Amino acid sequence: MLQLKSSRHYASVCAFYLDLESQDRRKKRFSNIKHYRKQYKKYRGLLYRSVYEKNPTGVGAC
């Protein structure tokens, strides 16, 4: 089961919104694209924080 608020969940949601945006662009339905992009950026930020706050760059690096 996919745990909510995990990096895998955020990555899946990002892919979902990118796919919706791509489908609407192909079908020339531009009314929702701004919403999809906004949601994508929101979840991309959450993904970034979930990955890099747990594993900050440079800590324990060789």
Side-chain angles (χ1 to χ4, degrees):
M1 187 170 141
L2 190 63
Q3 182 182 2
L4 293 179
K5 296 186 179 182
S6 69
S7 59
R8 192 184 298 180
H9 168 73
Y10 294 141
S12 296
V13 173
C14 286
F16 172 72
Y17 280 114
L18 286 176
D19 187 50
L20 286 176
E21 180 182 348
S22 176
Q23 289 177 23
D24 276 8
R25 282 189 192 280
R26 277 194 304 263
K27 294 177 182 177
K28 300 194 185 319
R29 294 185 295 184
F30 300 107
S31 60
N32 291 327
I33 289 177
K34 188 175 181 179
H35 172 70
Y36 298 150
R37 180 56 56 169
K38 180 180 176 184
Q39 292 300 312
Y40 166 75
K41 287 180 180 180
K42 172 186 170 183
Y43 282 97
R44 184 187 61 191
L46 292 169
L47 172 63
Y48 182 84
R49 278 184 260 146
S50 76
V51 170
Y52 288 106
E53 284 183 359
K54 290 180 183 175
N55 303 314
T57 305
V59 175
C62 295

